[in-house]
Amino acid sequence: MRSIFLQKTVDAIFWDSQPDLYQACLCNAKWRFATTLAAEAVYGKGETFWQSDNIFTIYGEEETLVFTPKSCQLVQGKIGALSKYESGAFCW
């Protein structure tokens, strides 16, 4: 079976407060698929990050999907035509 990944990397930075305990963590994962698709996810958690956002964004060549806990938005084209969906439409 052939792998769908050409390359994948994961980096993490930890702010330690005590041995085996961390105060904060910042993770960055990158994937490059055999289909030329690329993806990147950045996640931070802990006391170091004072701003709380719960947003997941997917960028495509011509469209962008923005997911929040209460809604989803589909941004289309260079002009940025916006379609907004409330929870339950096609949001999680």
Side-chain angles (χ1 to χ4, degrees), residues 14-41:
F14 292 91
W15 287 261
D16 296 328
S17 58
Q18 298 175 27
D20 297 327
L21 295 174
Y22 69 90
Q23 181 178 353
C25 175
L26 178 66
C27 300
N28 183 339
K30 294 179 183 178
W31 301 269
R32 199 167 60 116
F33 297 89
T35 61
T36 70
L37 175 72
E40 180 176 10

Side-chain angles (χ1 to χ4, degrees), residues 35-77:
T35 61
T36 70
L37 175 72
E40 180 176 10
V42 178
Y43 177 77
K45 183 175 183 176
E47 296 174 9
T48 303
F49 305 100
W50 61 92
Q51 185 176 4
S52 177
D53 281 335
N54 195 358
I55 299 171
F56 180 66
T57 307
I58 301 172
Y59 297 96
E61 288 184 18
E62 297 183 19
E63 299 174 335
T64 302
L65 286 170
V66 181
F67 297 93
T68 68
K70 296 186 179 186
S71 69
C72 308
Q73 295 178 348
L74 173 63
V75 182
Q76 296 177 311

